[in-house]
Amino acid sequence: MLEENCCLIVVIDIMDDICDDSLPQLLARDPLEENLCGDLSAYNASVWGNKVNAIEKALSLEELNPKKTMKELYPVIISTALDDLQTFQLLEVLQTHKRAIGYNIDDLKGISPDFCMHRIHLEDNYKPCIQPQRRLNPNMQEVVKKKVMKLLDVCIIYRISDSKWVSPVQVVPKKGGMPVIKNEKNELIPTRTVTGWRMCIDYRRLNIATKKDHFPLPFIDQMLERLANHKFFCYLDEYSKFFQIPIHPADQEKTTFTCPYGTFAYRRMPFGLCNAPSTFQCCMMTIFF
């Protein structure tokens, strides 16, 4: 038996095609159709198959399309307080809008340039700056290589041979918790643990020359005050949120960075740019308000 406060983990089958019919609607049909919805596989076969002959003949997934390849299944945590009908309705909403949910960097469709685009306007008194790459040890070079290859595969960055602005790459540790560790003198010392490494780009010279965007950012204390005396808290965790916003083509070469594997520029807005938080906040305000 599940405990009262525990959650139910449900696996959503993410396919390239999505059906128009919902499971609650199918359960309301005649008994012949109910037999087709006995389990999830029969439901997938009947709905994603030939809808005209789905009732007459239940086709297997191989008969539907032998070349159809299914994506990885992702778990979704659902409260046990939901009944069966509410669970099916929630799954229907998630499946219908699955293209708006990103699980990895390949799922990022990006925001239309007509809706939001990041610009990098420079001051008149600053000249372009080309900085040399920094030395990295073999472990750091491997981190940079994996990151660059990952971004190249999804076309977030592209190779560029000549640019008036070039910024160096630096690898920094990912900070973990602060466990207490005994030193050589048997003293308890709080120590910051390192859980991994992250590739960063030093855009400080570019940021100094950039005209600042003064779009107001929210105050953290006011946001926390709005949560007081509320029983429920809901939030959206945007996956790689900055990479959703494109950079204006005229400003892309200003994001050029150098590393042991070449020089690359961003098509999407990266971290490290001084006006990136303002652009993202303006985009969110436009979407939600």
Side-chain angles (χ1 to χ4, degrees):
M1 295 292 294
L2 295 175
E3 297 181 1
E4 183 178 357
N5 295 327
C6 68
C7 294
L8 174 65
I9 297 180
V10 179
V11 176
I12 293 182
D13 188 2
I14 300 178
M15 300 282 290
D16 292 334
D17 299 322
I18 196 69
C19 62
D20 296 329
D21 297 329
S22 63
L23 188 54
Q25 292 173 338
L26 289 176
L27 293 177
R29 295 181 180 178
D30 57 35
L32 179 59
E33 295 183 29
E34 293 181 13
N35 294 334
L36 293 176
C37 300
D39 52 30
L40 186 59
S41 61
Y43 166 67
N44 289 338
S46 62
V47 177
W48 285 328
N50 189 338
K51 294 184 179 180
V52 177
N53 299 323
I55 306 302
E56 300 177 359
K57 181 179 180 181
L59 302 176
S60 63
L61 289 176
E62 291 78 13
E63 292 174 336
L64 284 174
N65 189 351
K67 297 181 180 181
K68 175 70 70 176
T69 58
M70 297 177 62
K71 295 183 179 179
E72 183 180 355
L73 300 180
Y74 299 97
V76 176
I77 300 177
I78 299 176
S79 172
T80 55
L82 300 179
D83 56 29
D84 292 341
L85 179 59
Q86 292 173 333
T87 300
F88 291 139
Q89 290 174 342
L90 175 60
L91 293 178
E92 179 189 7
V93 172
L94 293 176
Q95 289 176 333
T96 303
H97 302 283
K98 70 180 182 66
R99 296 186 182 276
I101 304 175
Y103 294 93
N104 53 62
I105 200 168
D106 295 332
D107 298 329
L108 299 183
K109 304 300 181 182
I111 296 177
S112 172
D114 297 332
F115 184 81
C116 180
M117 185 178 295
H118 183 70
R119 295 300 310 265
I120 303 176
H121 298 290
L122 302 178
E123 299 284 356
D124 298 332
N125 299 330
Y126 285 92
K127 296 181 180 179
C129 178
I130 299 178
Q131 301 181 72
Q133 65 169 302
R134 296 174 182 171
R135 293 182 179 272
L136 302 174
N137 62 39
N139 293 333
M140 294 182 177
Q141 290 184 15
E142 189 64 23
V143 173
V144 173
K145 179 180 179 181
K146 291 181 179 179
K147 184 67 173 182
V148 169
M149 294 300 297
K150 183 178 181 179
L151 296 179
L152 277 176
D153 289 341
V154 293
C155 298
I156 292 180
I157 63 175
Y158 62 94
R159 294 183 181 274
I160 183 171
S161 59
D162 185 24
S163 176
K164 296 180 180 180
W165 285 92
V166 179
S167 301
V169 162
Q170 183 64 45
V171 178
V172 298
K174 294 181 180 180
K175 297 180 180 180
M178 288 283 290
V180 178
I181 301 176
K182 291 183 179 181
N183 59 10
E184 298 177 353
K185 298 180 181 180
N186 204 25
E187 298 174 341
L188 298 178
I189 305 297
T191 305
R192 174 75 70 179
T193 59
V194 177
T195 60
W197 298 90
R198 177 185 291 109
M199 187 191 84
C200 299
I201 304 174
D202 188 356
Y203 283 128
R204 285 180 293 182
R205 298 291 294 272
L206 176 63
N207 290 338
I208 293 175
T210 302
K211 294 181 179 179
K212 304 304 183 289
D213 184 352
H214 300 288
F215 188 89
L217 300 179
F219 295 105
I220 299 298
D221 56 342
Q222 292 181 357
M223 296 176 62
L224 294 177
E225 289 176 358
R226 294 177 62 182
L227 297 177
N229 300 325
H230 288 278
K231 295 182 179 180
F232 302 99
F233 169 60
C234 180
Y235 70 96
L236 279 176
D237 186 8
E238 302 93 348
Y239 178 78
S240 295
K241 46 186 174 290
F242 279 21
F243 284 163
Q244 303 278 0
I245 300 177
I247 298 177
H248 193 278
D251 298 326
Q252 291 179 2
E253 70 168 23
K254 299 172 186 175
T255 66
T256 301
F257 64 91
T258 179
C259 67
Y261 307 100
T263 52
F264 306 88
Y266 277 92
R267 289 189 175 93
R268 306 280 185 89
M269 186 175 68
F271 282 94
L273 299 177
C274 61
N275 289 333
S278 297
T279 300
F280 181 79
Q281 181 67 22
C282 180
C283 180
M284 292 298 100
M285 294 286 288
T286 305
I287 291 176
F288 291 105
F289 298 97

